[in-house]
Amino acid sequence: MQVSETVHAVNQLLADGPLDFIDPASLITKFGVFGIWVILFAETGLLVGFFLPGDSLLFLAGIAASATGASIVGASLSLPGLLIGGPIFAIAGAQFGHFLGAKYGRKLFDRPNSRLFKGIYVQKAEQAFEKFGPAKAVVFARFIPIVRTFLNPVAGMLGMPTRQFFIWNMVGAVLWTDGIVLLGYFLGDVVDATFPIDKYLVPGIAIIILLSILPVLIEFIRDRRRKKKEPVTTPPTS
């Protein structure tokens, strides 16, 4: 893609309203693989990107890369472009978010609540970071909408070393992007053009999100059991 075409695509993407972003099929047909890369960077690196359709976008992109993708989704995408470019832009976005958090600290989140920003989003990201520890939190956050946007700058704000963050950022990005893309790709290969994708897209994404947060739920249950087994210490009486 030439520089002029890239600039035009970015301008067109940013000119569209949030409602256009929310429709993953529309995004795919309009902007293709390049648009997906931009969305992955924005959702994981910019605080305003939390409303973007990361999971459903990747799932539908995987279907679009399959043999029946063009007839089901309305566009045909490059599977290598998704499997290679997707993680790269997801890693770059998260790394940029970490940089912002490390550079600006708490004041990055010092803004009043609005339709696009609520302090509770930051609180949930901090809770995940403190509960699961830096490594697990960075990986798990990839699979949790909203948290995957805010945890990266929170990790930088809380002082997670850049090198450590980068390692777990790569692990989480590959598992998230390639895992969901391949799930959609294999589904697209076993259905035909008459498959009512719109009817099953929402339930399919719900199942993906449920499966993706299972490690978090398991860790939470283990933590609860661990605390129950710990002896209760009473303060000494004077």
Side-chain angles (χ1 to χ4, degrees):
M1 179 178 289
Q2 297 180 355
V3 175
S4 59
E5 295 175 338
T6 302
V7 172
H8 174 72
V10 172
N11 288 337
Q12 190 176 358
L13 185 60
L14 296 177
D16 284 333
L19 291 178
D20 288 324
F21 288 170
I22 295 174
D23 180 9
S26 174
L27 176 69
I28 289 172
T29 55
K30 285 183 179 179
F31 304 107
V33 173
F34 178 77
I36 294 172
W37 292 346
V38 172
I39 291 297
L40 291 177
F41 180 91
E43 187 183 10
T44 56
L46 306 177
L47 292 181
V48 296
F50 69 90
F51 63 89
L52 299 173
D55 297 310
S56 57
L57 179 67
L58 290 170
F59 182 64
L60 205 58
I63 295 176
S66 68
T68 58
S71 55
I72 295 177
V73 182
S76 181
L77 300 182
S78 164
L79 183 62
L82 294 172
L83 296 180
I84 298 173
I88 290 175
F89 277 80
I91 291 169
Q95 209 67 34
F96 181 67
H98 178 273
F99 165 77
L100 292 178
K103 182 175 179 62
Y104 296 103
R106 179 70 60 176
K107 63 182 179 181
L108 181 66
F109 309 107
D110 187 17
R111 61 185 69 186
N113 286 334
S114 64
R115 292 182 63 184
L116 291 182
F117 181 89
K118 297 187 184 300
I120 193 171
Y121 299 156
V122 182
Q123 295 173 18
K124 288 183 179 297
E126 288 187 85
Q127 290 170 2
F129 190 87
E130 294 171 359
K131 185 172 187 62
F132 300 112
K136 289 181 180 178
V138 172
V139 176
F140 288 165
R142 285 290 185 179
F143 299 91
I144 307 175
I146 298 179
V147 174
R148 65 169 157 258
T149 300
F150 287 90
L151 186 127
N152 303 317
V154 164
M157 178 187 70
L158 296 179
M160 184 175 184
T162 301
R163 183 176 180 180
Q164 182 189 18
F165 179 83
F166 179 68
I167 292 173
W168 295 109
N169 176 22
M170 287 194 299
V171 173
V174 172
L175 290 176
W176 177 54
T177 57
D178 288 357
I180 297 182
V181 165
L182 288 174
L183 185 63
Y185 175 78
F186 290 128
L187 175 63
D189 268 353
V190 298
V191 299
D192 57 31
T194 61
F195 184 75
I197 189 65
D198 291 338
K199 181 179 179 180
Y200 295 102
L201 179 60
V202 173
I205 296 303
I207 293 173
I208 291 172
I209 294 175
L210 178 62
L211 292 175
S212 66
I213 65 175
L214 273 180
V216 181
L217 295 177
I218 293 172
E219 189 66 25
F220 177 77
I221 293 172
R222 286 178 178 173
D223 185 63
R224 290 286 297 272
R225 289 178 177 175
R226 200 179 301 119
K227 288 182 178 180
K228 287 182 179 180
K229 291 180 180 179
E230 290 178 354
V232 179
T233 57
T234 56
T237 57
S238 55

